[in-house]
Amino acid sequence: MGVDIRLQLVTMLPRLRRFAVSLARDRDLADDLVQATCERALRAQAGWQPGTRLDSWLYRIMQNLWIDDMRKRTSHGDEVAIEDRHDLVGEEGARSAEARLAAAEVLRALDALPDEQRSVVTLVCVEDLSYREVAKVLEIPLGTVMSRLSRGRLALARQLGLGEAGRMPAMGGMS
Amino acid sequence: MNAPAITDEMLVAFADGEADEATIDAVAKALETDEALAQRLDLFVTTRQILKTELDSVARETVPDRLTRFVMGGAPNAGARPAIAGAATPKPRRRIALPMAAALAGIVAGGLGYWAGTTSPQWRAGAAAMAGLAAADPALAQALANAPDGDRRAWRAAGHSGEIELRQSFRTERGFCRSFGVSESMDTGWGGLACRQGAGWSTQVVVAEPRMADGAFRPASGSGAAIDAFLGGARAGDALDAAAVREQIAKGWR
């Protein structure tokens, strides 16, 4: 009999939402994705080995759900006004409007990345997974993690108008 | 001319602290003379900082109740009589006297009142399960029995870890009760109140406590209204002082 992961799942909901928002952008869709992830995790909790990282396992479930299924629900290119979706968060939404705009801008830049780069970039930069953990979650080689990560971050820097990113060619490395 | 040996993959690994010794040496050496390389490194460092900062705001938002309910819903009822707030909000809330709240320990969260008598059976089952799980946690049970107020204990269960902080202890007409916080290492924790019941402890109140921007978990006031309501109804006295807590630890809270 495996352990009951519900308490830990609840504790992890904020982080799951964060990753979901980076994938889906739209808050409603992100929360649907979180719920679907939890549903699958609860059904398959025997598949998670105690002692291994629960978060990595959940990110993998979420990533697969997103790629295989839920991504189709969004018509890419639709501008989803994430600033408008804060009815869900109640008073929290009254936090700094400025902060939300900044977050929205970063999310837009992130959204401009190809899916495979976005997942790598988010898992490393936001979820603080190691390269090895990301390789496991996404089931890709370590070298691919590094090349997607570097290309994704340079593209992001260009999107955000940072430094000389726009003028810099890629340097060496794997394709 | 850029040092041809330094690739973007090497540089990003260097920025993220993932590079091996040889790469660290090569990049560090190249950086001494290559200004363009330093600027490129700065892009890798800066993008991570920006992403982390901006997306962290999502993790600090209140989790929609429907998600918490979904995860906890349908769980076997642990038999406790707990109350739970779906999530605390950062807005300072009024401390309302809830004279009848004692027995039911109704919780006010986000301006919505969740009363055990009026919420859905599913919600109550979820709350019961949450409290049951919390009380069943051996690390929490041990900390409740042995740790003085203010003590922080490592918490480890099923591959996850965090900290349990004992906050205050009270003598009530239902026996001794102790407030505590349980954090996982990252973003969210739970605050609650457990009371001595039989030979063990039963969690009576559980409230989500999101981590604040400064990294601290919400102080006890986040779960304060719920805990106050419960303690008020249980006719709790003032919080015990350190000596009294030590004495009760020695006597097993009987």
Side-chain angles (χ1 to χ4, degrees), chain B residues 77 136 165 199:
Chain B
N77 193 310
E165 179 196 11

Side-chain angles (χ1 to χ4, degrees), chain B residues 2 6 44 60 120 192 207 218 227 240:
Chain B
N2 292 335
I6 308 298
F44 288 127
R60 287 196 299 272
S120 71
V207 185
R218 180 181 313 289
I227 290 176
L240 302 183

Side-chain angles (χ1 to χ4, degrees), chain A residues 113-162:
Chain A
L113 298 182
D115 273 342
E116 69 268 15
Q117 286 180 15
R118 188 167 56 216
S119 296
V120 174
V121 166
T122 310
L123 286 171
V124 170
C125 297
V126 184
E127 306 303 330
D128 290 325
L129 263 57
S130 72
Y131 290 4
R132 260 171 220 294
E133 285 158 355
V134 174
K136 257 196 271 176
V137 168
L138 301 178
E139 295 169 324
I140 55 177
L142 201 58
T144 308
V145 170
M146 291 164 75
S147 58
R148 287 181 187 176
L149 186 61
S150 60
R151 278 184 282 136
R153 270 162 70 188
L154 289 175
L156 201 65
R158 270 195 299 278
Q159 286 280 332
L160 295 170
L162 295 177

Side-chain angles (χ1 to χ4, degrees), chain B residues 71-162:
Chain B
V71 174
M72 298 313 299
N77 193 310
R81 221 176 332 150
I84 185 170
T89 72
K91 187 184 174 189
R93 67 169 71 92
R94 286 169 298 161
R95 289 292 184 95
I96 319 164
L98 298 171
M100 293 186 305
L104 298 174
I107 309 302
V108 181
L112 300 170
Y114 285 113
W115 290 85
T118 56
T119 47
S120 71
Q122 196 187 10
W123 174 256
R124 272 178 282 141
M130 166 66 83
L133 284 170
D137 186 289
L140 178 57
Q142 257 190 14
L144 287 166
N146 302 325
D149 289 350
D151 211 31
R152 289 164 180 273
R153 294 278 173 96
W155 165 78
R156 182 176 293 278
H160 269 244
S161 59

